[in-house]
Amino acid sequence: MIADYREMLAGDPRSEQELCRDLGKPGQAVRLLVQPRPYRVWLAVFLALSACLLVPGLSPLPGVYPLIYKFCFDWFHYGIVPVLLGLAGGAVWFRWKGQKAERLPRALPVFLAVLLAWCAGVLVFNWTWMHSPEGIWDAWGYMLSFIGPPGRLISRLGAIVGDTLMWGGGLLIPLMGEYGLVRARQEDRRWAAVYALALTAMVLSLETLTLMTNTYFSLADTNLTELRSAFSAYVLLSAAGLAGAGAVLC
């Protein structure tokens, strides 16, 4: 827009004061070239896609309304709904409206590799843990819990993994997804693949965190069937995330 404005005024003999008087200030001229309706549509899409990522992602963090986390991952597992909406909405919008640069952004493969490694790590942990829930906890020993009655012991590995899933999957990963969403608008639609994988990594992390803190699933070997069915759902979710990322990368 600035280049067009300069081209229109090239060679104009009028002074700056006369141009401002006759044509208005540059800011006013730029606003005349802006299309407000498409921009408002984008803002609505951006807010919707951001909500699909941030509302469930930030829900388990301290200070956030706890019922959001329970509705998304504990009571009804509604977290899968915004994830699927975000995957579908991001792929459709950026394939329809996004611009693809000639060269792949240099930082994009790094972000994708980090998110893929995170998802693979969560799946590997689930596979190992679901085959022997008590054995993996016992192997790492126990530590005193700062939450609950005095003297309560918790698994040392469970505490480390739980904190990692909560802060990584609930804060770091959603922020990476938001960054990819903004860059997809500004630079290259293929950045939306970061958003798609961040959605996948977020829900894998927080669903795993929910299972780890659910005593019904962690105490009895008779529940291994339910745990393995949950792992199958995680694999399907990962496939959906890869499909969503691939749709905007192509």
Side-chain angles (χ1 to χ4, degrees):
M1 284 188 251
I2 294 173
D4 291 340
Y5 190 73
R6 287 174 176 167
E7 184 179 352
M8 288 188 295
L9 300 181
D12 197 306
R14 288 174 289 181
S15 66
E16 182 177 343
Q17 290 76 12
E18 291 174 327
L19 288 171
C20 288
R21 181 195 62 201
D22 298 337
L23 301 178
K25 295 182 179 181
Q28 295 171 327
V30 169
R31 281 194 290 271
L32 291 175
L33 298 175
V34 175
Q35 297 177 329
R37 183 175 179 181
Y39 183 63
R40 293 192 187 105
V41 171
W42 156 246
L43 286 181
V45 171
F46 176 76
L47 290 175
L49 294 177
S50 297
C52 290
L53 178 66
L54 295 179
V55 171
L58 301 179
S59 63
L61 299 183
V64 181
Y65 191 53
L67 287 180
I68 298 176
Y69 173 72
K70 291 183 179 295
F71 270 96
C72 287
F73 300 103
D74 194 1
W75 292 343
F76 304 107
H77 297 275
Y78 284 162
I80 193 64
V81 176
V83 168
L84 295 179
L85 290 176
L87 288 174
V92 170
W93 175 264
F94 288 106
R95 289 287 298 182
W96 178 37
K97 293 289 187 179
Q99 302 295 324
K100 186 177 180 180
E102 294 182 1
R103 301 181 63 179
L104 185 71
R106 291 183 179 180
L108 179 58
V110 177
F111 277 80
L112 295 179
V114 170
L115 290 169
L116 285 172
W118 182 280
C119 292
V122 173
L123 289 176
V124 169
F125 170 77
N126 272 288
W127 176 264
T128 305
W129 171 59
M130 289 178 178
H131 280 73
S132 181
E134 294 300 323
I136 192 172
W137 297 152
D138 294 340
W140 281 70
Y142 292 84
M143 58 186 287
L144 288 174
S145 173
F146 296 100
I147 303 174
R152 176 173 176 257
L153 295 177
I154 60 173
S155 167
R156 193 179 305 275
L157 177 62
I160 296 172
V161 173
D163 286 344
T164 302
L165 292 174
M166 182 177 68
W167 290 103
L171 181 62
L172 177 62
I173 297 298
L175 290 180
M176 291 176 64
E178 281 295 291
Y179 179 77
L181 195 59
V182 173
R183 294 295 294 273
R185 168 71 174 183
Q186 294 179 335
E187 180 182 350
D188 190 319
R189 66 171 170 82
R190 287 175 290 189
W191 274 100
V194 173
Y195 171 78
L197 288 183
L199 277 170
T200 307
M202 177 270 294
V203 76
L204 282 176
S205 300
L206 300 187
E207 284 286 354
T208 301
L209 177 64
T210 302
L211 280 181
M212 285 175 52
T213 55
N214 191 324
T215 56
Y216 174 77
F217 284 109
S218 62
L219 294 179
D221 290 339
T222 56
N223 297 317
L224 290 181
T225 302
E226 287 85 347
L227 290 173
R228 289 164 185 167
S229 66
F231 181 78
S232 300
Y234 296 165
V235 172
L236 292 176
L237 176 65
S238 301
L242 289 173
V248 291
L249 282 174
C250 295

